[in-house]
């Protein structure tokens, strides 16, 4: 009986620690997303889409949960990017875009000393690499990009297009999915792009509506073109 009591107490303590850990991660990502009203809920949506894609392509439940964590923290490095750059409504200068492009490496550095998160850092570091080698920060190409980075890249790009940003309104779902398919073997891993467009997007649609980032901008607010502030 004493042994059972100790076991149950330890299990409860473990659950409490897990709850605290996840609570801190969610609070951290919400604070980053809050720097820009147009990215409210972005990290959570990317995390959930990334997990769904991971499951779709056959990763185990444990691996999919690690992908989820990486998606949740993929933009943590934006804490080191000036808010004026993140929220700028007009076209970015080369220097401002260079500042944006530092956020994957900043994020990897922030998480680098946390032993329990070592396996998710590649998703944070490589989610802006492209299949054709024209991404950043290291211009990796094809399967040289870790799978977790390739997964988050698709989910991150989808959310950027399907939610309103400072420089343009949200795009219709079908338009976004066509763009995902068009960019297979260019920006995205073709197998991941093919799997992604078959996901159920109703939960994501509800999340966008809940976070209030799906309403179109006024015409005079959407005139400036990308690259612009608010880039993922």
């Amino acid at each position: 009986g004493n042994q059972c009591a100790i076991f149950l107490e330890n299990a409860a303590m473990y659950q409490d620690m897990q709850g605290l850990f996840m609570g801190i991660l969610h609070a951290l990502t919400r604070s980053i997303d809050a720097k820009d009203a147009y990215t409210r809920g972005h990290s959570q949506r990317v995390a959930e889409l990334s997990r769904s894609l991971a499951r779709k392509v056959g990763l185990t439940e444990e691996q999919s949960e690690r992908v989820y964590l990486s998606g949740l923290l993929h933009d943590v490095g934006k804490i080191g990017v000036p808010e004026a750059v993140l929220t700028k409504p007009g076209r970015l200068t080369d220097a401002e875009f260079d500042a944006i492009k530092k956020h994957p490496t900043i994020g990897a550095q922030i998480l680098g000393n946390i032993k329990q998160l070592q396996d998710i850092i590649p998703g944070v570091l490589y989610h802006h690499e492209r299949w054709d080698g024209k991404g950043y920060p290291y211009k990796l190409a094809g399967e040289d990009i870790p799978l977790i980075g390739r997964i988050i890249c698709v989910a991150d790009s989808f959310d950027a297009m399907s939610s309103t940003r400072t420089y343009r309104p949200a795009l219709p779902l079908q338009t976004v999915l066509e763009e995902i398919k068009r960019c297979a073997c260019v920006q995205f891993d073709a197998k991941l792009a093919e799997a992604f467009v078959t996901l159920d997007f109703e939960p994501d649609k509800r999340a966008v509506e809940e976070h209030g980032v799906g309403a179109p901008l006024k015409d005079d607010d959407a005139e400036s073109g990308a690259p612009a502030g608010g880039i993922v």
Side-chain angles (χ1 to χ4, degrees):
N2 288 336
Q3 289 178 331
C4 287
I6 292 172
F7 173 80
L8 292 173
E9 183 178 348
N10 288 340
M13 187 179 298
Y14 175 77
Q15 289 180 337
D16 286 344
M17 291 299 294
Q18 281 292 99
L20 175 62
F21 175 68
M22 290 304 300
I24 291 172
L25 293 189
H26 281 280
L28 175 61
T29 56
R30 282 195 297 269
S31 69
I32 295 165
D33 289 352
K35 294 180 74 173
D36 180 358
Y38 287 98
T39 59
R40 187 183 300 114
H42 168 71
S43 296
Q44 180 67 43
R45 295 192 302 274
V46 170
E48 292 176 354
L49 286 166
S50 297
R51 178 170 57 190
S52 294
L53 179 55
R55 289 168 173 165
K56 188 77 173 182
V57 297
L59 271 63
T60 66
E61 190 60 25
E62 182 179 355
Q63 291 171 326
S64 298
E65 288 303 318
R66 302 307 287 178
V67 171
Y68 171 87
L69 283 181
S70 190
L72 195 64
L73 292 168
H74 79 284
D75 272 347
V76 68
K78 285 186 176 178
I79 199 168
V81 178
E83 190 169 340
V85 175
L86 292 175
T87 60
K88 183 178 178 179
R91 188 176 293 274
L92 294 179
T93 65
D94 288 344
E96 289 168 338
F97 191 47
D98 285 342
I100 284 280
K101 291 193 290 186
K102 291 178 181 178
H103 80 269
T105 51
I106 294 172
Q109 290 166 2
I110 289 172
L111 302 176
N113 291 326
I114 304 176
K115 179 181 178 181
Q116 295 84 349
L117 297 180
Q118 293 304 298
D119 62 323
I120 76 168
I121 290 177
V124 175
L125 185 57
Y126 301 120
H127 71 277
H128 277 295
E129 300 290 357
R130 292 169 47 118
W131 187 261
D132 62 6
K134 296 181 180 180
Y136 62 87
Y138 299 116
K139 297 188 180 299
L140 299 183
E143 294 188 358
D144 286 341
I145 306 167
L147 177 60
I148 192 170
R150 284 181 269 149
I151 288 174
I152 295 172
C153 177
V154 183
D156 188 36
S157 299
F158 173 88
D159 190 73
M161 290 186 282
S162 59
S163 55
T164 296
R165 294 303 169 95
T166 55
Y167 50 94
R168 54 127 185 88
L171 301 176
L173 175 61
Q174 195 55 44
T175 300
V176 177
L177 295 181
E178 288 300 323
E179 187 67 8
I180 295 289
K181 289 188 282 188
R182 186 183 71 81
C183 291
C185 288
V186 179
Q187 184 173 355
F188 310 122
D189 179 328
K191 292 180 180 178
L192 295 180
E194 182 181 4
F196 186 85
V197 298
T198 67
L199 297 179
D200 177 10
F201 294 103
E202 277 303 311
D204 183 74
K205 180 181 177 181
R206 291 193 295 270
V208 167
E209 292 170 350
E210 178 185 341
H211 295 136
V213 292
L217 295 173
K218 297 178 182 178
D219 291 340
D220 57 353
D221 289 333
E223 292 177 352
S224 58
I231 291 173
V232 248

